[in-house]
């Protein structure tokens, strides 16, 4: 069974930037985030591919200083924005769990698939 989460485009303050969201599966709370970059939206589960920890230590702080990569706060793995592909770090070659994003006028519909 899948769920849908709504994120409004107006929640993004600049490009690139991220918006974090929460969802529940089987009564367990999870988080995810959407990256806006170059006019494209990509959504990922908020979990590093190295260890089962969230990527952000500070809430919704997912990007490196230059805004070029998603960075894991625990050991510094970096993932590209477009595919969530780990280009450097202990999980190099792995990809963040992506979620489908549908754009509908002023909002994004994020599809959450059961795990
Ligand atoms: S937990 Fe993310 S790089 Fe180690």
């Amino acid at each position: 069974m899948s769920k849908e989460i709504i994120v409004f485009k107006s929640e993004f303050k600049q490009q690139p930037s991220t918006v974090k969201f929460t969802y529940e599966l089987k009564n367990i709370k999870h988080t995810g985030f959407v990256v806006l970059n170059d006019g494209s939206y990509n959504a990922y589960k908020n979990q590093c591919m190295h260890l089962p920890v969230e990527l952000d230590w500070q809430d919704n702080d997912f990007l490196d200083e230059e805004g070029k990569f998603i960075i894991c706060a625990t050991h510094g793995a970096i993932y590209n924005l477009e595919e969530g592909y780990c280009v450097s770090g202990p999980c190099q070659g792995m990809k963040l769990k992506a979620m489908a994003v549908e754009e509908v006028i002023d909002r994004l519909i994020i599809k959450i698939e059961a795990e």
Side-chain angles (χ1 to χ4, degrees):
M1 194 171 93
S2 67
K3 291 182 172 209
E4 294 182 343
I5 300 288
I6 305 291
V7 171
F8 288 92
K9 292 180 178 179
S10 59
E11 296 178 64
F12 295 88
K13 301 303 177 209
Q14 60 189 34
Q15 291 197 52
S17 66
T18 58
V19 170
K20 187 174 177 179
F21 58 85
T22 61
Y23 59 96
E24 258 187 44
L25 287 175
K26 297 178 187 166
N27 295 320
I28 298 173
K29 191 173 166 184
H30 301 270
T31 61
F33 61 104
V34 184
V35 181
L36 168 61
N37 185 46
D38 277 344
S40 295
Y41 298 93
N42 293 286
Y44 303 105
K45 182 176 180 179
N46 183 13
Q47 183 176 305
C48 188
M49 292 292 99
H50 178 217
L51 297 173
V53 298
E54 294 192 332
L55 294 156
D56 59 329
W57 267 345
Q58 296 192 51
D59 200 36
N60 194 37
D61 187 7
F62 291 99
L63 304 182
D64 68 343
E65 280 184 19
E66 295 180 5
K68 291 189 173 171
F69 296 98
I70 298 160
I71 185 165
C72 174
T74 302
H75 302 120
I78 56 172
Y79 300 86
N80 71 9
L81 303 180
E82 303 81 12
E83 301 167 296
Y85 184 76
C86 182
V87 294
S88 178
C91 42
Q92 189 166 357
M94 300 176 81
K95 284 175 76 171
L96 296 175
K97 182 176 176 0
M99 300 169 177
V101 180
E102 181 184 351
E103 284 188 59
V104 180
I105 310 173
D106 62 340
R107 64 197 68 187
L108 310 169
I109 302 171
I110 317 299
K111 311 272 187 200
I112 310 290
E113 301 293 335
E115 297 179 359

